[in-house]
Amino acid sequence: YSSACLSYTAPFVTGYRDTNSYQTLVASKLIILNGFNPAETIFETNSNYYLARAREAGARVVVIDPRLTETAATFADEWLPLKPTTDAALFVAMAHVLIAEKLCNREFLDKYCVGFDEGHMPAGVPAGHSFESYVLGRSDGVEKTPEWAAEITGIEAHAIRNLARAYGTLHPAQLLQGLGPQRHAHGEESVRAGIALACMTGNLGVPGGGWGGGEGGRRLEIPIGGLPTGANPVKTRIPVFLWTDAIVRGTEMTAEDGVENGPLPSNIKFIFNLGSNTLVNQHADVNRTVRILRDEGLVEFIVVSDHFLTPSARFADILLPADNSLERADIGVPWSGERYIVFGNKVVEPPFECKHDYWWLSRVAERLGLGKPFTEGKTEEQWLEQIVGDARQRDPGFPSYEELRQRGFYRKDPEEYVAFEKEIRDPAGHPFPTPSGKVEIFSKRLYDMNRAGVPGVPHYIPAWEGPQDELALRYPLQCIGPHYKRRTHSTWDEDPWMEEADPQQMWISPPDAAARGIANGELVKVFNQRGALLARARVTRRIRPGVVAIPQGAWYTPGKDGVCRRGCINVLTSQQSTPLAHGNAQHTLLVEVKKA
Ligand SMILES: Nc1nc2c(c(=O)[nH]1)N[C@H]1C(S)=C(S)[C@@H](COP(=O)(O)OP(=O)(O)OC[C@H]3O[C@@H](n4cnc5c(=O)[nH]c(N)nc54)[C@H](O)[C@@H]3O)O[C@H]1N2
Ligand SMILES: Nc1nc2c(c(=O)[nH]1)N[C@H]1C(S)=C(S)[C@@H](COP(=O)(O)OP(=O)(O)OC[C@H]3O[C@@H](n4cnc5c(=O)[nH]c(N)nc54)[C@H](O)[C@@H]3O)O[C@H]1N2
Ligand SMILES: [Mo]
């Protein structure tokens, strides 16, 4: 759900996915934050600290986002409010300026990359397929000038030119992409086009330079393990976003659907849903999901474990009340590449029948005759001791179990980490782990796969349900669902204090509101071909006209008419997956809004 397009696509280009640590921002002369909003989504505890340091050191910060986010309000010298789904067009036009104004680092491209120009193409590919040929319009007759992109992105041509010139002359420069731009139809392309730009300006593997998709410095993580998961005898894998399809047509899904080692021997009949509200709330197209889950002939049994009676929990055949982090001892590992772990001691006993998931899972394993291999006879605490013991073997500085329990955390000093540094310093000794050993701006693997909508080099491909889709005649507003600072997805949506601080509301621009007679604070109905919801309008200049934003994560609360009263954006989103990664495009949708 988070990063399918990035995680799946980046390895085709650079061999693996990696990002500089945020300390390196301090050396940057220019920082482009593209759909990256760490002031609200906190990509690393100190990402904002380093952004502030970088600004103090004189870096210019440009934020590209349809919304004037808290990040833009706090750090940006310039805000470019582009139309959602059009990042690749912006990047391709920046590439055009770099070529036309001779700001390209040809030496870097020749040495480290394949596929930028016709002189550096893999064997067996007909002429005209390089990135340069695409940008200059030699392959399709359309020159990707800033004027071409202005029409598509809604960013004026001179602003695109200025940004490209700054990127081509201020060195080192860092281009950081959040995960929002890739959670879109053809989200693969903004990832690939971003890496191509970083190479064109010689910004890969350089301190203060770099290209990043979200999390920083993964390689510096603390070596903490978890419970062994054993060997999964099932070798068939499906893209997670297609789980609802696997319920209705699992056995028919093929490699075209992203299935590996298929086919599935059966459609999904049984679901364990632990610590997740994705069963209903967080997956796209709630109304379709609900229709599927209601059909008892499809999924026959659902087990849910949670703290709250979430919209997902309402679909459980068996609902298990879980203990929470104050009611058990556990090791907490940050989700991003950070250099600390925390230890949470048990503060109170779990109330009523609440139990740790390990407790009931062990008992299920026992009934299946797998008790011993599952638990190895160990209690929860014995597992924690073993995990700490293993970590101590890998890292001599790691505290003992008792020390960790007392202190509550273990951290290592932050260290600068520059992604792809060794590949750039020593290309012969450390080739990029791609077929050519270089950065593949043209990927022969993707070209040979010949997947519809995935060419060999990055292209701008108009999104389905995007601003250029005919559907916009019926539903003229693009709608995005940003991650909201007051909650984690749907967690704490029901908390009244958080609601007071940051209510669930829809951002709409003054002209769009005026055209519909909507005043600030009024209740509106937002709808499209899949569903409808009610929301309070926040009329604000902080969003570009033509776009509305409804924070994702509100609890699905349908009225008798099926309209969601709370404002769960996933009643409007689509289950169509992206063409290569089969990731979700949950930011790509069109809607209309009217007074409720
Ligand atoms: N407070 C809080 N923090 C969180 C989370 C949370 O729910 N709440 N969730 C966590 C998780 S699991 C994840 S995966 C990350 C998610 O982090 P992201 O995926 O980066 O977050 P989003 O809010 O989806 O998108 C980031 C920004 O992209 C913008 N955007 C949307 N569409 C486009 C586009 O087409 N182009 C451009 N340039 N910008 C666009 C949005 O307006 C938004 O400001 O956050 C993590 N952090
Ligand atoms: N429209 C739209 N939809 C999105 C996104 C988007 O950008 N737009 N983002 C997507 C992304 S990136 C993600 S990661 C997903 C997130 O989707 P989910 O991971 O499903 O998100 P949460 O709503 O945080 O659900 C977590 C649940 O776990 C429960 N829980 C917490 N701690 C425990 C515990 O210790 N034990 C048990 N048993 N339960 C516990 C919480 O109460 C909560 O109900 O949403 C995706 N959905
Ligand atoms: Mo995520």
Side-chain angles (χ1 to χ4, degrees):
Y1 282 88
S2 307
S3 66
C5 284
L6 168 67
S7 306
Y8 196 84
T9 310
F12 282 96
V13 189
T14 47
Y16 59 102
R17 169 190 166 190
D18 205 4
T19 303
N20 294 358
S21 63
Y22 288 112
Q23 291 96 315
T24 64
L25 285 168
V26 180
S28 304
K29 295 221 171 68
L30 171 70
I31 298 169
I32 302 175
L33 302 176
N34 178 54
F36 185 51
N37 183 21
E40 288 169 82
T41 55
I42 314 285
F43 268 72
E44 245 181 57
T45 314
N46 288 324
S47 46
N48 297 300
Y49 168 74
Y50 289 113
L51 274 172
R53 290 276 316 275
R55 267 192 64 104
E56 274 165 27
R60 182 175 169 72
V61 178
V62 180
V63 169
I64 304 166
D65 198 302
R67 302 181 306 134
L68 188 93
T69 57
E70 308 284 60
T71 306
T74 313
F75 298 111
D77 294 290
E78 190 181 7
W79 169 46
L80 298 176
L82 96 169
K83 292 183 195 170
T85 71
T86 66
D87 302 77
L90 174 73
F91 289 168
V92 167
M94 284 170 68
H96 189 279
V97 177
L98 292 172
I99 296 167
E101 304 194 3
K102 302 211 166 16
L103 295 170
C104 253
N105 189 333
R106 294 270 171 185
E107 210 179 301
F108 187 99
L109 289 166
D110 292 353
K111 190 164 170 191
Y112 299 111
C113 308
V114 294
F116 174 71
D117 57 27
E118 295 295 324
H120 299 84
M121 289 293 284
V125 181
H129 281 83
S130 68
F131 189 53
E132 191 175 40
S133 293
Y134 168 70
V135 171
L136 297 179
R138 292 190 188 127
S139 50
D140 59 2
V142 181
E143 224 180 314
K144 315 299 179 309
T145 59
E147 284 71 20
W148 165 84
E151 186 94 357
I152 295 167
T153 60
I155 306 290
E156 289 173 38
H158 71 87
I160 298 176
R161 258 193 197 95
N162 283 346
L163 181 62
R165 283 175 188 152
Y167 193 47
T169 49
L170 295 174
H171 195 82
Q174 197 143 187
L175 171 56
L176 289 180
Q177 287 181 247
L179 302 175
Q182 53 96 60
R183 219 176 293 109
H184 267 300
H186 299 290
E188 292 93 350
E189 302 306 307
S190 63
V191 170
R192 297 203 285 161
I195 305 175
L197 272 189
C199 291
M200 290 175 73
T201 52
N203 268 312
L204 216 58
V206 188
W211 173 85
E215 304 101 293
R218 295 203 146 258
R219 255 124 258 276
L220 293 177
E221 276 168 18
I222 285 177
I224 186 96
L227 261 63
T229 49
N232 186 349
V234 179
K235 298 293 169 228
T236 309
R237 284 157 51 99
I238 64 165
V240 64
F241 186 61
L242 295 186
W243 67 268
T244 30
D245 276 33
I247 293 172
V248 287
R249 59 175 189 100
T251 54
E252 293 147 38
M253 283 163 67
T254 65
E256 283 291 304
D257 301 297
V259 176
E260 289 171 17
N261 302 314
L264 284 174
S266 144
N267 294 347
I268 294 177
K269 289 288 175 193
F270 195 118
I271 297 178
F272 282 110
N273 180 75
L274 275 72
S276 144
N277 199 2
T278 303
L279 187 69
V280 171
N281 214 80
Q282 296 304 109
H283 192 48
D285 200 347
V286 166
N287 291 316
R288 177 176 191 245
T289 308
V290 162
R291 277 195 300 278
I292 291 171
L293 294 180
R294 283 221 171 103
D295 185 341
E296 305 253 309
L298 295 172
V299 180
E300 290 168 19
F301 210 86
I302 298 174
V303 181
V304 172
S305 155
D306 206 299
H307 304 146
F308 304 103
L309 190 60
T310 62
S312 295
R314 292 184 179 278
F315 283 78
D317 292 294
I318 295 183
L319 179 54
L320 300 168
D323 63 358
N324 72 34
S325 55
L326 300 174
E327 296 158 359
R328 63 177 180 242
D330 209 347
I331 296 172
V333 183
W335 75 289
S336 182
E338 302 202 55
R339 306 208 82 195
Y340 71 84
I341 55 150
V342 292
F343 190 95
N345 284 288
K346 183 176 186 168
V347 182
V348 287
E349 286 300 322
F352 308 108
E353 291 183 297
C354 294
K355 292 273 192 278
H356 194 301
D357 288 326
Y358 182 71
W359 182 90
W360 66 266
L361 283 166
S362 304
R363 274 150 188 82
V364 173
E366 229 165 72
R367 306 296 196 283
L368 292 170
L370 296 165
K372 194 80 196 178
F374 184 77
T375 63
E376 296 181 15
K378 296 188 185 103
T379 63
E380 278 167 57
E381 176 138 45
Q382 285 167 332
W383 277 116
L384 292 175
E385 284 170 15
Q386 177 174 325
I387 289 166
V388 169
D390 291 348
R392 270 163 80 82
Q393 301 227 316
R394 287 188 290 259
D395 173 2
F398 205 95
S400 70
Y401 184 70
E402 205 36 49
E403 279 172 296
L404 185 63
R405 248 176 48 78
Q406 297 280 332
R407 206 196 302 164
F409 72 95
Y410 170 59
R411 71 183 275 272
K412 291 181 131 183
D413 283 338
E415 244 176 61
E416 277 216 13
Y417 173 78
V418 177
F420 306 113
E421 188 269 337
K422 62 181 191 307
E423 287 87 348
I424 297 303
R425 180 175 31 84
D426 174 21
H430 297 281
F432 283 90
T434 57
S436 64
K438 296 189 171 190
V439 178
E440 303 205 335
I441 295 175
F442 176 94
S443 166
K444 181 85 166 34
R445 283 181 291 180
L446 291 180
Y447 176 80
D448 288 341
M449 274 165 84
N450 195 18
R451 191 70 68 72
V454 188
V457 293
H459 277 211
Y460 165 67
I461 305 170
W464 62 86
E465 304 194 25
Q468 286 165 280
D469 192 321
E470 270 182 15
L471 194 65
L473 296 172
R474 262 168 72 202
Y475 304 112
L477 299 168
Q478 287 187 271
C479 179
I480 51 178
H483 290 224
Y484 209 11
K485 68 169 181 276
R486 60 151 289 192
R487 57 182 182 237
T488 308
H489 311 292
S490 72
T491 311
W492 306 121
D493 181 46
E494 77 292 14
D495 184 308
W497 286 5
M498 296 302 241
E499 185 64 11
E500 197 181 320
D502 247 338
Q504 175 70 14
Q505 58 190 0
M506 180 195 71
W507 283 19
I508 184 167
S509 71
D512 288 329
R516 292 164 179 79
I518 295 165
N520 191 36
E522 259 185 321
L523 197 65
V524 296
K525 184 172 180 181
V526 189
F527 57 98
N528 67 10
Q529 71 275 34
R530 284 178 293 268
L533 59 81
L534 299 182
R536 294 259 162 220
R538 176 170 170 205
V539 181
T540 171
R541 287 179 206 288
R542 289 179 65 170
I543 189 158
R544 74 162 287 127
V547 186
V548 294
I550 301 170
Q552 64 102 1
W555 280 21
Y556 169 62
T557 315
K560 284 218 166 60
D561 53 3
V563 176
C564 179
R565 294 303 191 263
R566 177 72 189 135
C568 172
I569 189 177
N570 283 322
V571 300
L572 304 168
T573 55
S574 154
Q575 291 188 2
Q576 183 167 351
S577 65
T578 66
L580 177 68
H582 292 286
N584 70 68
Q586 272 164 297
H587 280 319
T588 307
L589 54 146
L590 293 166
V591 299
E592 179 54 294
V593 176
K594 66 175 189 200
K595 275 165 105 144

